[in-house]
Amino acid sequence: MGELKVLIDEQTLQNRIREMAKQIEEEYKGKTITIICILKGSVFFTVDLAKAINEDVRVEFIRVSSYGGDTVSSGEIKMKLDLKDSINGKDVIVVEDIVDTGRTLSYLMEYLKLKQPNSLKICTLLDKKERRVCEVNPDYVGFQIPDEFVVGYGLDYDEKYRNLPYIGYFENV
Ligand code: IMP
Ligand code: MG
């Protein structure tokens, strides 16, 4: 995999997350926000984002599988853990770690729309736009990143590296 390098350091990450939280806070003044955290990758981002939003925030979890133990998406999406509570009439923000091909989110958005939330937005920490196969337009984006396989802050390579406090990539040597 090569040497692990820092792409986005911890301070830069945390500053940007606070900015995103403030923007969300402004746009949802006085509303109850239902955050849907997509397990497992977006747990770390969801926690820091939710803590920085000074409004009523609820957190729900959903788990889908896309990648296997590899760096290439299989293209097949499976629901592994469904929502436990209704989102009907709720103001929902889906929180994702990274939008890559867009397959996961385009599948999820269609699925969630059927549950008739009052509003439905996407907040992603990272966006790898170059790799898009399905049209997905996130409403809140932390960082646009180049087509590199990244790890850390929730993102894994075969379940490793999730606990890094920064976003890293492997430099091929
Ligand atoms: P998509 O369906 O191709 O948009 O992929 C989204 C999912 O793939 C994310 O939620 C991640 O779990 C995973 N993924 C995509 N790119 C990366 C990466 O660079 N590192 C680690 N996981 C990734
Ligand atoms: Mg993953």
Side-chain angles (χ1 to χ4, degrees), residues 150-163:
V150 290
V151 294
Y153 199 68
L155 291 148
D156 72 304
Y157 171 65
D158 210 4
E159 294 301 323
K160 269 182 77 183
Y161 309 107
R162 288 196 201 275
N163 61 321

Side-chain angles (χ1 to χ4, degrees), residues 62-86:
I62 204 164
R63 184 168 174 204
V64 291
S65 69
S66 48
Y67 281 40
D70 208 344
T71 59
V72 182
S73 175
S74 63
E76 196 191 336
I77 315 289
K78 282 194 193 118
M79 181 70 68
K80 293 266 174 125
L81 176 79
D82 206 343
L83 291 172
K84 299 293 178 210
D85 293 315
S86 165

Side-chain angles (χ1 to χ4, degrees), residues 17 21 35 45-55 57 59:
I17 293 168
I35 282 179
F45 176 41
T46 298
V47 169
D48 286 339
L49 183 76
K51 284 194 292 182
I53 297 173
N54 207 359
E55 285 292 335
V57 174
V59 185

Side-chain angles (χ1 to χ4, degrees), residues 17-26 28-29 31 33 35 45-58 93 95 123:
I17 293 168
R18 273 194 296 275
E19 278 176 14
M20 296 172 87
K22 290 304 130 195
Q23 190 189 343
I24 291 171
E25 208 177 285
E26 284 300 311
Y28 288 79
K29 271 226 153 67
K31 289 184 178 163
I33 305 165
I35 282 179
F45 176 41
T46 298
V47 169
D48 286 339
L49 183 76
K51 284 194 292 182
I53 297 173
N54 207 359
E55 285 292 335
D56 186 7
V57 174
R58 288 156 197 233
I93 303 178
V95 175
C123 175

Side-chain angles (χ1 to χ4, degrees), residues 62-120:
I62 204 164
R63 184 168 174 204
V64 291
S65 69
S66 48
Y67 281 40
D70 208 344
T71 59
V72 182
S73 175
S74 63
E76 196 191 336
I77 315 289
K78 282 194 193 118
M79 181 70 68
K80 293 266 174 125
L81 176 79
D82 206 343
L83 291 172
K84 299 293 178 210
D85 293 315
S86 165
I87 56 163
N88 186 298
K90 301 273 198 314
D91 292 300
V92 174
I93 303 178
V94 179
V95 175
E96 179 61 303
D97 50 2
I98 186 166
V99 185
D100 185 30
T101 63
R103 285 196 182 100
T104 307
L105 271 180
S106 64
Y107 165 86
L108 261 185
M109 292 303 275
E110 287 314 307
Y111 175 77
L112 294 174
K113 270 179 208 159
L114 297 174
K115 298 184 174 290
Q116 300 183 303
N118 181 53
S119 63
L120 183 59

